[in-house]
Amino acid sequence: MLDESLLDAPEALARSDTRGLLRGAAESGARVRTAARAAAESGLADLKPDGRPRSLLVAGSSPTTGCIADLLYALAGGNTQVSVIRPTGALPDPGALLWTLPGWAGPLDLLLVLTTDGTEPGLTALIEQAYRRGCAVVTVTPPRSPLTEDAGGRHGLVVPLAPGPYEEVPEDQPLPDPGLRPALGPEPPGTLWALLTPLLVLMDKIGLFPAAQPAIQSVADRLDKTAERCGPAIATYTNPAKTLAAELADALPLLWSEGPVAGVAARHFAHVLGVVAGRPALAAELPDALTAHGTLLAGAFSAAADPDDFFRDRVEEPQALHARVVLLRERAELGSNSPTPAARELALGRDAPVSELEPSDGNALEAVAELLAITDFAAVYLALASGERT
């Protein structure tokens, strides 16, 4: 059950947010600026590559690795192959994971290694594989971590992972023991931007998509403005993230997206709803979503399948989940070419409620930044107001 009164109690929300996820979401813009400075200081901004790589290979122990690879492909417009190297291992713990280059990887390919830990022996072994195959390597890893030494020098370029405003460890103090870090659980939302921002600088340098310093500053500004709109002190009726959290309280979210970067946001939202709020969600791109999820709107999860029982015990018998469509767009509808009107008509025709998210004007990078920020906040609010441990 969702305690909607908690959504408008900022102090209570802060006490419930033991992992600081709301603060992490609010600091995303700051993480972008700090990461951009770290990328410049590492020499990434001064690179003069000979041309585009044949493919990008993305590997890492962070839960956001897949989303980052997904976003790089969407922003590049499909002009280069982007492959995620999935780890194997008996446990999800970073120290137990192994990564292997695909058989076709070679000197024409670029390996991107992303980690918030920096102690994974499997990533060290992967970088050695890449060196023997002749792959170029760029690694984003915490400063002073073992992977910094393993990946530097002849093995490629290392960019220090920019810490959050409350995470920086002074040079004269030892780093936290990796064995004491939680292996599972949600990462602060700003972590995605700390890992992604150096790659945006790199993609601009190799000509995959424009992301020069003004563009990155615009992303940081958009994240700051979205955090102001979605912050704990903003009332639910004017707060898009709190409103969305309340709408999803007893729903099975069907996340329908229009446009490549909106698709990335929808898939990431489904991920964070599961990890942060413990809620199932299904993501699909329009117009395929109309057939992929159409049966759900008429089946057991439809609003008419199990009408609310007036005599139901609200404490002992939770309300059944009903499908709710969430439409995510990266820009305004494209007239007759937009599948959104058909999606809205199908949902409302089957009595399914509809929520809609559309960013304000801007380019694709700014649009996905706003969508990711709103949905990150919404997942955290849903978790806190439902009594889930974050």
Side-chain angles (χ1 to χ4, degrees):
M1 295 178 62
L2 186 81
D3 182 1
E4 292 195 36
S5 64
L6 185 64
L7 292 176
D8 288 322
E11 294 181 358
L13 283 171
R15 289 193 298 269
S16 301
D17 187 15
T18 57
R19 294 180 65 100
L21 297 183
L22 285 175
R23 186 178 67 189
E27 293 170 352
S28 293
R31 296 295 291 269
V32 169
R33 296 184 182 89
T34 305
R37 287 196 297 270
E41 292 169 359
S42 70
L44 193 60
D46 298 325
L47 283 181
K48 296 180 180 180
D50 295 330
R52 295 182 182 180
R54 175 180 61 180
S55 70
L56 303 178
L57 301 167
V58 186
S61 58
S62 169
T64 61
T65 300
C67 176
I68 290 172
D70 201 10
L71 184 54
L72 293 178
Y73 181 77
L75 291 171
N79 291 325
T80 192
Q81 179 181 350
V82 180
S83 301
V84 179
I85 302 178
R86 304 289 181 186
T88 59
L91 297 171
D93 183 89
L97 298 177
L98 299 173
W99 289 263
T100 303
L101 284 175
W104 48 263
L108 299 178
D109 306 303
L110 172 61
L111 173 64
L112 306 175
V113 178
L114 313 175
T115 173
T116 58
D117 189 285
T119 64
E120 306 92 334
L123 289 179
T124 298
L126 177 66
I127 291 170
E128 288 287 348
Q129 292 177 48
Y131 173 72
R132 292 194 298 269
R133 300 268 196 97
C135 297
V137 181
V138 173
T139 303
V140 183
T141 184
R144 296 186 286 154
S145 66
L147 196 62
T148 300
E149 298 180 3
D150 297 334
R154 63 176 187 172
H155 288 161
L157 179 66
V158 177
V159 180
L161 176 69
Y166 299 94
E167 298 173 354
E168 192 163 3
V169 179
E171 289 287 341
D172 58 349
Q173 294 184 16
L175 294 174
D177 184 350
L180 300 178
R181 301 174 192 166
L184 300 174
E187 287 183 338
T191 302
L192 182 149
W193 292 103
L195 292 168
L196 175 64
T197 301
L199 305 186
L200 297 178
V201 176
L202 178 62
M203 296 304 104
D204 180 71
K205 289 297 178 181
I206 62 180
L208 281 181
F209 54 83
Q213 181 59 34
I216 291 178
Q217 180 61 45
S218 295
V219 170
D221 293 342
R222 179 67 65 93
L223 289 169
D224 286 344
K225 292 177 182 177
T226 307
E228 291 175 3
R229 294 169 55 210
C230 299
I234 305 302
T236 299
Y237 67 91
T238 58
N239 187 319
K242 288 183 178 180
T243 298
L244 183 58
E247 291 171 344
L248 298 182
D250 298 306
L252 172 64
L254 304 182
L255 310 176
W256 295 357
S257 56
E258 180 181 357
V261 301
V264 175
R267 290 185 287 274
H268 182 67
F269 190 26
H271 168 76
V272 296
L273 281 172
V275 174
V276 175
R279 300 297 185 94
L282 299 173
E285 296 187 14
L286 292 169
D288 291 344
L290 302 181
T291 53
H293 294 166
T295 305
L296 287 170
L297 297 180
F301 292 99
S302 68
D306 182 24
D308 191 20
D309 183 359
F310 179 80
F311 298 101
R312 174 175 60 88
D313 187 320
R314 265 53 179 178
V315 175
E316 298 296 333
E317 301 176 51
Q319 183 175 340
L321 292 181
H322 296 305
R324 183 183 190 96
V325 172
V326 181
L327 296 174
L328 297 95
R329 294 189 300 277
E330 59 191 66
R331 58 185 181 276
E333 297 176 21
L334 300 177
S336 60
N337 291 324
S338 173
T340 294
R344 194 183 293 117
E345 182 179 354
L346 174 64
L348 297 178
R350 296 187 177 176
D351 295 324
V354 177
S355 302
E356 300 194 34
L357 290 179
E358 179 184 313
S360 50
D361 294 339
N363 58 33
L365 191 53
E366 293 172 5
V368 76
E370 183 172 336
L371 291 174
L372 289 173
I374 293 174
T375 53
D376 278 342
F377 269 106
V380 177
Y381 285 132
L382 182 58
L384 296 178
S386 301
E388 298 289 340
R389 295 182 61 185
T390 64

